[in-house]
Amino acid sequence: MTTTMGSAAATGVPGILGRARDLVQPALRKAVARLDESSRAQSAYHLGWTDRDGVPAAGNGGKAVRSALAVVSAQAAGAAVETGVPGAVAVELVHNFSLVHDDLMDGDTERRHRATVWSLWGAPSAILTGDAMLALALEVVLDSGSPHTVPAARLLTETTRRLIEGQALDIAFEERDDVAVAECVAMAGGKTGALLSASAAIGAVLAGAGQEVVSALTVFGEEIGLAFQLVDDVLGIWGDPAVTGKPVYSDLHAGKKSLPVTYATTHGGAPGRELAEWLAAPEPSDEAELARVAALVAAAGGREWAVAEAAHRLAAAEQALAPIPAGPRADLIDIARFIVHREA
Amino acid sequence: MTTTMGSAAATGVPGILGRARDLVQPALRKAVARLDESSRAQSAYHLGWTDRDGVPAAGNGGKAVRSALAVVSAQAAGAAVETGVPGAVAVELVHNFSLVHDDLMDGDTERRHRATVWSLWGAPSAILTGDAMLALALEVVLDSGSPHTVPAARLLTETTRRLIEGQALDIAFEERDDVAVAECVAMAGGKTGALLSASAAIGAVLAGAGQEVVSALTVFGEEIGLAFQLVDDVLGIWGDPAVTGKPVYSDLHAGKKSLPVTYATTHGGAPGRELAEWLAAPEPSDEAELARVAALVAAAGGREWAVAEAAHRLAAAEQALAPIPAGPRADLIDIARFIVHREA
């Protein structure tokens, strides 16, 4: 049976995401069930399916926008949504592998208002669980039965390399005082653009789509990745902790060279220079001090630039979809706007 | 041009390993060159190609028995050794991904008489470098151009899952006082058997070999993996630090439930019980105390059992090769004996 995304009862993005989740969740759970006992328990917890004691949780495991992109991606190539499901499972697993490892690397003890895997089970277990999710992502695509399995799996390995490169740059930037906006954009392209791009393209790749369709989806995903990161960076400074699940001013507290901060230090005149000096020698900061620094980023134009740049990227993403049929194109645009127009 | 393993000037195992290394090294270096700057530098160091400052080193990068198994595996299926090269590169990368992560998980600061990656570049970098090697391993096989790419890549993902399961069990056993020999064998099967088994089979899989040949090679590799682990565990207690590169009695110092230790505590009468009591409440131990504990393992029959069991496993490995043509069979047996008959 072929399910058509966007045609059932619920309308708009909640409908698209809900139907994608209904389609992808059983396959994702089946895949995770293959893991060793320890990785399985930690993955189920991380994905929001259980509490830390393994008791099933009420949550539905997050918005799963990457899954939704992957199944709509198959439709964009004229195939059934089911064709995109192994790709959807794989991109969710790659995403969550990177989150489990990133939380450990960054020393974050909370994610989505819950204790992180490493903080509950220790660093060695978190390393293994992430490794297991990465290998499983590839395995799910290899088991897809699609005649286009090899290019789809190849897309995942290349995406993983870009993810890792983005994270490595992020770590390297912490030690540097001279990061340029272009370098920061390249880093964000790796950390966020690569996987959203792969999510938007993998369904079409599994469906054997032509180069024009795959390229359109690739560019679309890359651009919404950058738009997402710009918005995320704004939220990392000015977002409501109750919504973001992170402490107020968390990115400033961590001294992150995020996109708005980098724009501010390199294009922001006097307040930008004051910000750069603070970043070069940050002192232990209370909330009042961090509020002052956040005001410097805004005064230097960092917030305004990031919001405008996110809008440009979103427009570019939508334009890239010209070769895609109207139905899936509308769904992709809805998902893109949903990702970018969060609480920024 | 087709190179035939075992027919050139150098004879015996050094000849087989040397020719495999000559064949595989260029492809391995080309693959590693694809990684991001940080992962590339750390991988080159870890593989022994450079020192910590990136200066080329004189070493040839280790024995590379897994590479040798993979290329002879292709010959075992009647194919050219070249057919096995992408598989050889992949198993080396999976092996080294697991070493980089294991060193971090175990907190080991030295490997092969050199500082470990995490001890030089920090835990976050070591996590990323290992992740990058794992993704690259799959990528190399996906790029092989073989019509049998999917089953070969699938063998790697399953092997990685077993590796992770073995490591997770190893960690879990540290907290337990009741590990049975069968559990310990299952753990060793994951940690060591899985990847040697994949190494011995992947060339044949890439060559499209039939089930009988693939099964024979799989069993062969699994058995030499266990034989290797038994010998390694004996060396971990009684090996010469100058040869093993580890401190004397290192596994006892770490309280490892290795195979000889587990046999001793579960089958070793009075000395075995004394050993179990010591393991349950290990005190800070000087070398004299560790020598006394090592003597308990031997008195409980742990050393003798491990050496005999390694010989049984080696014999079973050789028997499994009955369906393999005489030439590659002889090479595989030579490699197996070389792996198992180290300085035990």
Side-chain angles (χ1 to χ4, degrees):
Chain A
M1 191 199 76
T2 298
T3 312
T4 306
M5 307 292 299
S7 69
T11 55
V13 174
I16 301 168
L17 295 182
R19 284 187 297 280
R21 200 162 40 226
D22 291 349
L23 200 61
V24 174
Q25 273 277 333
L28 182 57
R29 286 180 183 259
K30 205 170 149 188
V32 168
R34 264 190 223 170
L35 295 177
D36 67 278
E37 191 180 335
S38 163
S39 300
R40 190 166 66 233
Q42 290 167 37
S43 297
Y45 168 80
H46 172 80
L47 290 162
W49 301 342
T50 63
D51 68 14
R52 65 183 71 184
D53 300 314
V55 179
N60 58 19
K63 298 185 297 289
V65 288
R66 289 166 191 79
S67 290
L69 289 171
V71 294
V72 179
S73 167
Q75 290 188 297
V81 283
E82 284 78 3
T83 303
V85 169
V89 171
V91 294
E92 286 297 328
L93 287 169
V94 171
H95 177 54
N96 286 289
F97 132 76
S98 77
L99 295 182
V100 168
H101 279 189
D102 284 3
D103 285 341
L104 171 60
M105 288 186 266
D106 297 341
D108 289 337
T109 55
E110 276 206 6
R111 169 174 297 278
R112 302 177 196 138
H113 311 285
R114 300 166 83 225
T116 49
V117 168
W118 75 267
S119 74
L120 290 176
W121 284 280
S125 272
I127 293 171
L128 288 175
T129 296
D131 293 345
M133 285 180 171
L134 174 56
L136 185 62
L138 272 300
E139 193 164 287
V140 169
V141 166
L142 292 167
D143 284 351
S144 69
S146 158
H148 311 286
T149 292
V150 173
R154 188 62 173 70
L155 175 59
L156 286 177
T157 61
E158 191 169 331
T159 298
T160 304
R161 279 202 284 114
R162 286 191 60 206
L163 262 178
I164 291 165
E165 177 155 29
Q167 180 70 9
L169 288 174
D170 200 15
I171 293 172
F173 289 175
E174 283 171 22
E175 311 287 312
R176 283 178 48 191
D177 294 329
D178 62 343
V179 177
V181 171
E183 291 179 294
C184 202
V185 166
M187 183 268 282
K191 281 195 72 169
T192 313
L195 188 56
L196 281 168
S197 179
S199 303
I202 198 165
V205 173
L206 283 165
Q211 193 50 48
E212 192 191 25
V213 166
V214 172
S215 289
L217 294 167
T218 299
V219 172
F220 164 79
E222 195 79 34
E223 295 290 353
I224 62 171
L226 277 164
F228 172 87
Q229 192 59 56
L230 286 154
V231 172
D232 200 58
D233 284 357
V234 169
L235 292 174
I237 300 176
W238 294 281
D240 178 353
V243 176
T244 63
K246 294 178 189 174
V248 67
Y249 306 128
S250 58
D251 281 2
L252 291 180
H253 187 73
K256 277 223 187 258
K257 275 101 180 175
S258 66
L259 287 157
V261 166
T262 302
Y263 180 88
T265 57
T266 53
H267 296 73
R273 284 189 292 277
E274 196 178 335
L275 174 66
E277 280 162 28
W278 181 83
L279 282 167
E283 283 162 42
S285 315
D286 57 15
E287 201 175 312
E289 170 73 357
L290 292 173
R292 188 186 72 83
V293 176
L296 284 176
V297 181
R303 182 175 190 165
E304 201 178 346
W305 169 80
V307 170
E309 185 68 14
H312 293 319
R313 297 290 186 170
L314 181 58
E318 296 184 6
Q319 272 172 8
L321 293 179
I324 306 300
R329 184 170 73 227
D331 283 354
L332 290 169
I333 289 174
D334 280 351
I335 297 170
R337 291 181 183 172
F338 171 78
I339 291 174
V340 179
H341 291 155
R342 291 180 302 160
E343 303 74 10
Chain B
M1 192 199 77
T2 298
T3 312
T4 308
M5 305 293 297
S7 69
T11 55
V13 174
I16 301 169
L17 296 183
R19 284 187 295 280
R21 201 163 39 225
D22 291 348
L23 200 60
V24 174
Q25 274 277 333
L28 181 57
R29 285 179 183 261
K30 205 170 149 189
V32 168
R34 264 191 222 169
L35 295 177
D36 66 280
E37 192 180 333
S38 163
S39 301
R40 189 167 66 234
Q42 291 167 37
S43 297
Y45 167 81
H46 172 80
L47 290 162
W49 302 342
T50 63
D51 68 13
R52 64 183 72 182
D53 300 314
V55 178
N60 58 17
K63 297 184 298 289
V65 288
R66 289 167 191 79
S67 290
L69 288 171
V71 293
V72 178
S73 167
Q75 289 188 297
V81 283
E82 284 77 5
T83 304
V85 169
V89 171
V91 294
E92 286 297 328
L93 286 169
V94 171
H95 178 54
N96 285 289
F97 132 75
S98 79
L99 295 182
V100 168
H101 278 187
D102 284 3
D103 285 342
L104 171 60
M105 287 187 267
D106 297 342
D108 289 337
T109 55
E110 277 206 7
R111 166 173 300 276
R112 302 175 196 139
H113 311 284
R114 300 166 84 224
T116 49
V117 169
W118 76 266
S119 74
L120 290 176
W121 284 281
S125 272
I127 293 172
L128 287 175
T129 297
D131 293 346
M133 286 179 170
L134 173 56
L136 186 62
L138 271 299
E139 194 164 287
V140 168
V141 166
L142 292 167
D143 284 351
S144 69
S146 158
H148 311 285
T149 291
V150 172
R154 188 61 173 71
L155 174 59
L156 286 178
T157 62
E158 191 169 330
T159 299
T160 304
R161 280 203 284 115
R162 286 191 59 205
L163 263 178
I164 290 165
E165 177 154 29
Q167 180 71 7
L169 288 175
D170 201 14
I171 292 172
F173 289 174
E174 282 172 22
E175 310 287 313
R176 284 179 47 192
D177 294 330
D178 61 343
V179 177
V181 170
E183 290 179 294
C184 202
V185 167
M187 183 267 280
K191 281 194 74 169
T192 313
L195 189 55
L196 281 168
S197 179
S199 303
I202 198 165
V205 172
L206 283 166
Q211 192 50 48
E212 193 192 24
V213 166
V214 173
S215 288
L217 293 166
T218 299
V219 172
F220 165 79
E222 194 80 33
E223 295 289 353
I224 61 171
L226 277 163
F228 172 86
Q229 192 58 56
L230 286 154
V231 171
D232 200 58
D233 283 357
V234 168
L235 292 174
I237 301 176
W238 294 280
D240 179 353
V243 176
T244 63
K246 295 179 190 173
V248 66
Y249 306 128
S250 58
D251 281 3
L252 291 180
H253 187 72
K256 276 223 190 259
K257 274 102 181 173
S258 66
L259 288 156
V261 166
T262 302
Y263 180 89
T265 56
T266 53
H267 296 71
R273 283 188 294 277
E274 197 178 335
L275 174 66
E277 280 161 28
W278 181 85
L279 281 168
E283 285 162 39
S285 315
D286 58 15
E287 200 174 313
E289 169 73 357
L290 291 173
R292 187 185 72 82
V293 176
L296 283 177
V297 181
R303 182 175 189 165
E304 200 178 346
W305 170 79
V307 171
E309 184 69 13
H312 292 319
R313 297 289 186 171
L314 181 58
E318 296 184 5
Q319 272 173 8
L321 293 178
I324 306 300
R329 185 170 71 227
D331 283 353
L332 290 169
I333 289 173
D334 280 350
I335 298 170
R337 291 180 184 172
F338 171 78
I339 291 174
V340 178
H341 292 157
R342 291 181 299 160
E343 302 75 9

